[in-house]
Amino acid sequence: MPIPEDVSGFELDKGVLQELQSLPKGLAEDVGKNLVMVARLIDEDPEGAYGYSRVALRLASRVAAVREAAGFAAYANQKYSEALAEFRAARRMTGNVELWPVMADCERGLGRPEKALDMAGAPEVQKLDKAGQVEMRLVAAGARRDMEQLDAAIVTLQSPELASNSVQPWTARLRYAYADALLAAGREDEAREWFAKAVESDKDGSTDASDRLAELDGVEFVDAFDEEAEDGAAPAAQADDDSRDEQEQEQEQEPEQGREQ
């Protein structure tokens, strides 16, 4: 697959670059460039990212960072079985537990919410950092909802992190998930309150909390481009009418000019 000229491979995290040092120099550069493309495309073009991940995997399947990248690319394309296999391989290579929440979410994607809940109660969760533990809580709540246990999902999300007034990277998503669960349970007033809190903490627009809040408030959005198109159409139509009127007037005047001659 083509690699843009501005990609060098050195854009990667230092830890990943260190892993790639186990490869011959030329091979390491090729793998690095493909990994950069995975990271660059995974949000906007998941299929493209997946293609680059497969190239990297073919070149260096024994590098943990490559297996992890392949896992996330597969996950972004909802290839949950493949993603889970790659995450497990990366975990075997490194011994790290940081992939535990996304592995559990793959189990959800495969229609096995009970397995995801088992993973949420496993000892590995205690080894996660705070962000990982919050992510695990979100996955567990999602598994409860998969099983139509709405009240249990709500209780799962109730935590010190949810109650805290400090804004952390996970705050907006946690509040959003809680609001969404409340709404699914028919608790609309509480849901509106928590969607509003999610909006307050969502500085980078990672959720659509503002849209959900507006929907609850009965606000309807109008497409500005449609309005411009409609506004622009009227003058054009009027111009056509004026042009036709002028032509008719000229045609009426021509016979009179001929008689005068």
Side-chain angles (χ1 to χ4, degrees), residues 67-125:
R67 303 302 290 266
E68 183 175 330
F72 277 111
Y75 179 81
N77 284 275
Q78 299 183 359
K79 299 177 183 292
Y80 298 117
S81 180
E82 185 177 326
L84 185 57
E86 297 300 340
F87 290 142
R88 284 173 173 168
R91 183 168 178 267
R92 285 195 300 270
M93 292 176 179
T94 64
N96 294 335
V97 297
E98 59 187 22
L99 294 173
W100 196 253
V102 71
M103 290 169 63
D105 205 39
C106 286
E107 296 288 359
R108 285 186 60 210
L110 291 169
R112 301 193 292 247
E114 297 89 351
K115 177 62 176 177
L117 287 176
D118 288 343
M119 294 179 68
E124 283 83 354
V125 176

Side-chain angles (χ1 to χ4, degrees), residues 40-56:
R40 179 179 290 188
L41 297 176
I42 196 164
D43 291 328
E44 297 182 359
D45 181 11
E47 290 186 8
Y50 180 76
Y52 283 103
S53 75
R54 300 307 296 177
V55 174

Side-chain angles (χ1 to χ4, degrees), residues 1 3 20 23 27-28 30-38 49-63 65-67 69-70:
M1 297 181 69
I3 303 289
L20 294 180
L23 303 172
L27 180 59
D30 289 342
V31 173
K33 289 178 180 180
N34 279 281
L35 292 182
V36 170
M37 293 305 298
V38 173
Y50 180 76
Y52 283 103
S53 75
R54 300 307 296 177
V55 174
L57 192 60
R58 187 175 67 249
L59 294 173
S61 62
R62 295 185 179 182
V63 176
V66 171
R67 303 302 290 266

Side-chain angles (χ1 to χ4, degrees), residues 124-252:
E124 283 83 354
V125 176
Q126 302 304 317
K127 300 177 183 178
L128 295 169
D129 59 13
K130 181 61 67 177
Q133 290 179 4
V134 170
E135 194 65 32
M136 192 72 248
R137 189 177 293 276
L138 288 167
V139 173
R144 291 293 186 188
R145 292 190 62 173
D146 293 341
M147 300 167 67
E148 299 184 357
Q149 299 175 0
L150 288 176
D151 290 340
I154 291 170
V155 171
T156 298
L157 292 169
Q158 292 171 345
S159 61
E161 293 81 17
L162 180 68
S164 175
N165 290 324
S166 65
V167 176
Q168 302 294 335
W170 60 77
T171 302
R173 292 180 59 238
L174 184 59
R175 292 176 177 179
Y176 181 94
Y178 188 59
D180 194 45
L182 289 168
L183 187 60
R187 295 160 61 174
E188 187 171 314
D189 290 342
E190 294 173 85
R192 189 201 176 284
E193 175 187 350
W194 282 96
F195 275 127
K197 291 182 178 181
V199 171
E200 292 175 0
S201 57
D202 193 2
K203 305 303 182 184
D204 57 358
S206 61
T207 73
D208 64 347
S210 59
D211 293 341
R212 300 292 299 277
L213 182 61
E215 183 180 345
L216 286 174
D217 288 341
V219 177
E220 294 185 3
F221 293 98
V222 178
D223 193 331
F225 292 103
D226 289 344
E227 282 189 338
E228 290 175 2
E230 291 175 0
D231 292 342
Q238 185 64 47
D240 290 340
D241 291 342
D242 292 343
S243 177
R244 283 194 294 270
D245 290 343
E246 290 176 0
Q247 291 175 359
E248 290 174 358
Q249 290 174 4
E250 290 176 357
Q251 291 173 356
E252 291 175 355

